[in-house]
């Protein structure tokens, strides 16, 4: 029996130089805007970082490495949650919605060996409810599928509906310390490649990467160079939410590359599809 580890990190809130009620006057039209009532609600934290390390201190906790990378990307406030008991659920805050946490990160680090060993159905239910509110999820779970869906093969439920994983393969390469991953054509990392070294981040274990094919709403993000045509990372976008799943620990990249990856993902999460605006005059002109 492992020693139970209780981790409950307190929300780190940065003071925001933002008045609770500000009035902006446009000199020409004398239009006033009350930002307290008309502005977007302030989030509890820009990023909520959750880690399930099976309540075992023998696994690496990469929470702060991700917080540092998201800080580089422009996030300023963070909240943290973790497993509360061995083989238990993540101790999520009670208010996990997109308004309160625009981005949620879930990490399983080098935690495996048990079934279930990390994310359980209760965790998936919370994450599904969060995404249904319009959230953005980065899920880095190298052995998540084997621990939570050991049947592997064709996916269903949360991996299929939310993470955009169609067919998943377990441990495509057995226990390398290093790996090369490359961006998919037309994806967020098109033309880029990254070198990962497990010894930079793990305490005890090498890589056991999983790969997957994408669903109709998803696409490849990164390929594992040793596993032809299958993605070691998938990104998924629906009308409601965006997700990124990685089957290998991307924080094993050198700092500069890892910061770049997180910045790219964070920018994509917070971007919205632009709506092309036109005038009624230009529409009529098209039919002359």
């Amino acid at each position: 029996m492992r020693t139970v580890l209780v981790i409950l990190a307190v929300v780190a809130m940065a003071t925001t130089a933002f008045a609770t009620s500000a009035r902006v006057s446009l000199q020409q039209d004398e239009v006033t805007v009350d930002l307290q009532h008309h502005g977007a609600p302030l989030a509890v934290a820009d990023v909520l970082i959750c880690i399930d390390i099976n309540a075992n201190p023998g696994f690496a906790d990469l929470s702060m490495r991700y917080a540092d990378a998201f800080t580089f990307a422009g996030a300023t406030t963070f909240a943290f949650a973790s497993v509360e008991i061995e083989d238990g659920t993540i101790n999520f805050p009670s208010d996990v919605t997109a308004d309160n946490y625009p981005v949620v990160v879930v990490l399983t680090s080098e935690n495996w060996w048990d079934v279930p060993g990390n994310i359980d159905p209760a965790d998936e239910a919370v994450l599904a409810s969060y995404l249904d509110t319009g959230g953005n999820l980065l899920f880095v779970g190298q052995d998540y599928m084997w621990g939570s869906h050991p049947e592997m093969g064709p996916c269903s439920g949360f991996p299929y509906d939310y993470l955009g994983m169609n067919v998943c393969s377990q441990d495509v390469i057995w226990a390398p310390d290093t790996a090369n991953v490359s961006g998919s054509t037309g994806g967020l990392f098109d033309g880029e490649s990254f070198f990962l070294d497990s010894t930079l981040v793990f305490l005890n274990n090498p890589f056991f990467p999983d790969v997957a094919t994408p669903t109709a709403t998803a696409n490849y993000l990164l390929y594992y160079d040793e596993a032809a045509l299958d993605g070691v990372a998938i990104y998924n976008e629906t009308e409601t939410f965006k997700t990124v799943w990685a089957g290998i620990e991307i924080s094993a990249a050198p700092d500069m590359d890892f910061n770049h990856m997180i910045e790219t993902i964070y920018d994509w999460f917070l971007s919205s599809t632009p709506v092309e605006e036109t005038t009624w005059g230009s529409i009529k002109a098209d039919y002359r």
Side-chain angles (χ1 to χ4, degrees):
M1 175 68 68
R2 301 184 184 90
T3 302
V4 174
L5 175 66
V6 179
I7 308 174
L8 179 61
V10 180
V11 176
M13 294 293 294
T15 302
T16 309
F18 187 84
T20 56
S21 178
R23 299 182 68 83
V24 178
S25 177
L26 304 181
Q27 184 175 7
Q28 205 169 26
D29 298 321
E30 294 300 316
V31 176
T32 61
V33 179
D34 188 339
L35 296 179
Q36 182 179 23
H37 297 99
H38 298 285
L42 293 178
V44 174
D46 294 334
V47 182
L48 169 64
I49 300 178
C50 311
I51 186 163
D52 191 329
I53 53 175
N54 210 27
N56 189 329
F59 296 131
D61 182 344
L62 301 176
S63 301
M64 292 312 301
R65 182 160 175 77
Y66 277 84
D68 290 343
F70 274 98
T71 299
F72 176 86
T76 59
T77 55
F78 298 86
F80 299 89
S82 66
V83 289
E84 195 169 36
I85 59 174
E86 186 174 2
D87 291 326
T89 59
I90 293 175
N91 189 28
F92 290 105
S94 60
D95 55 350
V96 184
T97 65
D99 285 341
N100 289 328
Y101 306 98
V103 173
V104 170
V105 178
V106 172
L107 310 172
T108 65
S109 186
E110 56 183 326
N111 169 28
W112 46 79
W113 312 124
D114 293 330
V115 179
N118 40 56
I119 305 303
D120 65 13
D123 295 325
E124 291 182 338
V126 172
L127 294 172
S129 296
Y130 163 74
L131 290 170
D132 287 341
T133 69
N136 302 286
L137 173 65
L138 171 60
F139 195 120
V140 185
Q142 178 173 255
D143 229 27
Y144 152 65
M145 285 299 291
W146 184 79
S148 303
H149 303 272
E151 63 276 8
M152 305 302 288
C155 299
S156 61
F158 184 78
Y160 184 92
D161 296 333
Y162 290 92
L163 299 181
M165 299 167 66
N166 189 17
V167 178
C168 186
S169 300
Q170 161 74 7
D171 290 351
V172 290
I173 298 293
W174 186 259
D177 287 321
T178 61
N180 291 293
V181 296
S182 300
S184 59
T185 302
L188 298 180
F189 299 117
D190 187 0
E192 299 185 72
S193 61
F194 307 99
F195 175 76
L196 309 180
D197 184 349
S198 67
T199 64
L200 295 177
V201 291
F202 287 171
L203 299 179
N204 300 305
N205 294 297
F207 293 128
F208 294 85
D210 293 347
V211 296
T213 59
T215 63
T217 61
N219 206 341
Y220 294 106
L221 179 65
L222 292 168
Y223 292 109
Y224 181 42
D225 289 359
E226 301 301 321
L229 301 182
D230 280 338
V232 74
I234 300 291
Y235 68 115
N236 188 29
E237 179 176 11
T238 71
E239 293 181 355
T240 305
F241 60 80
K242 296 178 181 178
T243 63
V244 170
W245 164 83
I248 198 168
E249 182 49 66
I250 59 174
S251 73
D255 290 348
M256 183 179 299
D257 288 341
F258 178 52
N259 288 345
H260 166 65
M261 283 192 279
I262 293 301
E263 182 178 39
T264 300
I265 292 169
Y266 190 51
D267 288 347
W268 177 66
F269 277 161
L270 300 186
S271 67
S272 58
T273 303
V275 177
E276 184 177 351
E277 296 183 357
T278 188
T279 64
W280 176 236
S282 63
I283 293 173
K284 290 191 294 185
D286 291 337
Y287 292 91
R288 287 178 182 171

